[in-house]
Amino acid sequence: MALSNEEIKSKLIEKFGDAVINFDESYGMLSFEAPKDINLKVLQFLFDDATLQFQFLTDLTAVHYPDDKGSELAVVYHLHNLKDNVRIRFKVRTSTERPDVFTATKLFSAANWMERETFDFYGVNFVGHPNLKRILNVDEMDYFPMRKEFPMEDQTRIDKDDEMFGRGGSII
Amino acid sequence: MRPVRFNIHPKEAVTSTAISVTEAPEGYSGEGFFTAKLSDVVGLARKNSIWPLPFATSCCGIEFMATAAAHYDLARFGAERMAFTPRQCDLLMVMGTIAKKMGPVLRQVYLQMAEPRWVLAVGACASSGGIFDSYSVLQGIDQIIPVDVYVPGCPPRPEAILDGFMKIQELVGQESIRRRNSTQYKALLDTYGIQ
């Protein structure tokens, strides 16, 4: 018998009560949020529970919502139950002022590089990560390029038509 | 018995007009001697035996593979000896997008090449960053190393790469053997922080 989304949801609510919020099923995939200070407890529960068994971390990244003051960054964990072939999405929100989130590297070795990437692009500070430094961008980079306040374009160029390349101008 | 031969009207190849021979440099010749400028002779030898170092990172590299293959045949220009050893090579052919993180690698490859050395930037990305006007992409390799010839195109056709290669050959053939000791050349390298 395959694991249903309702089953996952009821098990989570049974364990964590009101802490788990914003349940959603987009395209049949369950997603939910929890406060960032219990992210490891939730992941551990999803990992250890005999029926849930979300023991594979498919992806870990972040999303920047600049308009949500106080919880601008969402760290997203994509988890996979290989036995029942069920996937879920788990998010924790944090502010850009103190973007501290506990590291999942103790639970998933795969989280190591993915957390480095998330730090590299969004500046999420994974507390307890063994080697939190940039992984894809140049070491000298002094900002987090995927945050929306930074333009994507290379700011050193002067020979391109600014209107066509997103550096000001009138075309939006 | 019928002979096993399908092409019953074979054509003899006309080689007298198909082969071009490098012309001798300007000079005086007589019975058993020939005099010319040393730089011309050295240039002639250099330009027809360039060893390219293909630094191919993306689609321009695929075009380069076509250029080096049988149909376009870069070997016709005396450049059949591709090498990935910078110390042996004369021409650095940069083909493709160079990310900022790869910049120091490219620069080190250039630094390891012995003088005289030339650089060919193939394609829009190597020349200017191309469409990748992005925080992660180097906006033209001339930001980190001097470039002799730029080949435009996205990607350029093999003919364009050959044309760029022939422009390099022109430079190599006409260059004074002391050009690389000139003050202008040193000043150029100084702007890149290379001595």
Side-chain angles (χ1 to χ4, degrees):
Chain A
M1 194 197 94
L3 191 62
S4 70
N5 286 346
E6 285 69 39
E7 214 175 326
I8 303 166
K9 188 175 169 182
S10 61
K11 274 205 167 273
L12 283 164
I13 290 171
E14 185 192 327
K15 173 81 179 171
F16 295 103
D18 296 338
V20 285
I21 48 170
N22 286 355
F23 281 94
D24 184 33
E25 283 182 43
S26 56
Y27 299 96
M29 187 176 175
L30 184 74
S31 72
F32 65 97
E33 283 181 32
K36 67 174 182 177
D37 41 316
I38 63 160
N39 71 330
L40 290 188
K41 292 196 180 75
V42 174
L43 289 171
Q44 188 78 55
F45 173 71
L46 289 164
F47 191 100
D48 287 339
D49 190 271
T51 51
L52 297 178
Q53 292 193 46
F54 285 98
Q55 298 183 353
F56 186 76
L57 181 69
T58 318
D59 194 12
L60 193 168
T61 186
V63 186
H64 189 207
Y65 299 101
D67 297 333
D68 298 357
K69 297 287 172 236
S71 60
E72 290 94 343
L73 289 166
V75 178
V76 188
Y77 302 86
H78 285 231
L79 298 164
H80 192 177
N81 175 339
L82 292 164
K83 211 169 169 188
D84 295 303
N85 196 19
V86 176
R87 294 167 191 273
I88 55 166
R89 233 175 348 235
F90 167 48
K91 299 176 189 174
V92 296
R93 302 290 287 251
T94 180
S95 68
T96 44
E97 284 81 53
R98 280 195 68 237
D100 300 340
V101 174
F102 293 117
T103 177
T105 47
K106 303 290 182 295
L107 192 56
F108 299 105
S109 296
N112 191 321
W113 283 17
M114 292 197 264
E115 286 184 353
R116 275 178 69 186
E117 187 194 6
T118 310
F119 164 74
D120 192 352
F121 284 100
Y122 294 92
V124 178
N125 180 30
F126 288 97
V127 179
H129 190 285
N131 186 26
L132 195 64
K133 60 176 188 183
R134 290 191 183 273
I135 185 167
L136 290 171
N137 283 307
V138 286
D139 294 330
E140 304 85 62
M141 189 175 264
D142 53 1
Y143 67 104
F144 303 112
M146 287 302 206
R147 287 200 186 168
K148 296 210 192 295
E149 65 261 37
F150 299 108
M152 199 202 73
E153 291 80 10
D154 187 283
Q155 297 302 300
T156 60
R157 287 207 63 163
I158 45 170
D159 58 329
K160 280 180 174 170
D161 185 344
D162 282 354
E163 291 212 340
M164 298 295 182
F165 286 90
R167 286 187 215 91
S170 58
I171 297 170
I172 299 164
Chain B
M1 203 168 88
R2 192 178 164 202
V4 183
R5 183 163 180 184
F6 300 102
N7 186 1
I8 54 170
H9 302 296
K11 259 186 174 172
E12 292 303 320
V14 184
T15 52
S16 58
T17 54
I19 295 175
S20 71
V21 176
T22 307
E23 284 180 28
E26 212 177 296
Y28 301 101
S29 60
E31 186 71 38
F33 76 91
F34 176 73
T35 59
K37 280 194 288 180
L38 180 64
S39 62
D40 285 356
V41 179
V42 170
L44 186 75
R46 278 179 178 169
K47 76 179 246 194
N48 291 299
S49 61
I50 290 175
W51 283 24
L53 194 165
F55 196 96
T57 52
S58 46
C59 45
C60 290
I62 306 296
E63 294 297 312
F64 171 74
M65 291 169 209
T67 313
H71 191 86
Y72 293 96
D73 200 7
L74 192 63
R76 292 178 293 152
F77 301 88
E80 61 252 84
R81 211 301 191 170
M82 305 295 160
F84 298 94
T85 46
R87 289 175 210 283
Q88 293 179 318
C89 289
D90 314 302
L91 172 63
L92 179 61
M93 299 178 80
V94 183
M95 296 161 285
T97 320
I98 302 297
K100 278 179 182 163
K101 199 157 185 177
M102 198 178 263
V105 178
L106 178 65
R107 188 181 158 91
Q108 187 169 9
V109 167
Y110 179 78
L111 291 177
Q112 288 184 347
M113 292 170 72
E115 291 281 6
R117 56 192 167 183
W118 293 271
V119 177
L120 179 64
V122 175
C125 293
S127 305
S128 73
I131 60 166
F132 299 104
D133 184 11
S134 156
Y135 61 91
S136 59
V137 173
L138 196 65
Q139 302 295 303
I141 59 165
D142 52 7
Q143 295 200 349
I144 51 165
I145 54 173
V147 176
D148 293 275
V149 172
Y150 299 86
V151 178
C154 186
R157 281 196 55 84
E159 290 93 332
I161 299 179
L162 286 179
D163 186 57
F165 188 83
M166 286 162 76
K167 292 275 189 296
I168 289 277
Q169 279 192 311
E170 264 173 50
L171 278 179
V172 175
Q174 291 170 4
E175 189 172 294
S176 151
I177 50 175
R178 290 197 222 293
R179 194 198 101 178
R180 306 257 152 180
N181 297 325
S182 67
T183 49
Q184 291 97 323
Y185 186 72
K186 284 179 177 163
L188 173 71
L189 287 191
D190 273 344
T191 60
Y192 289 98
I194 303 168
Q195 58 271 345

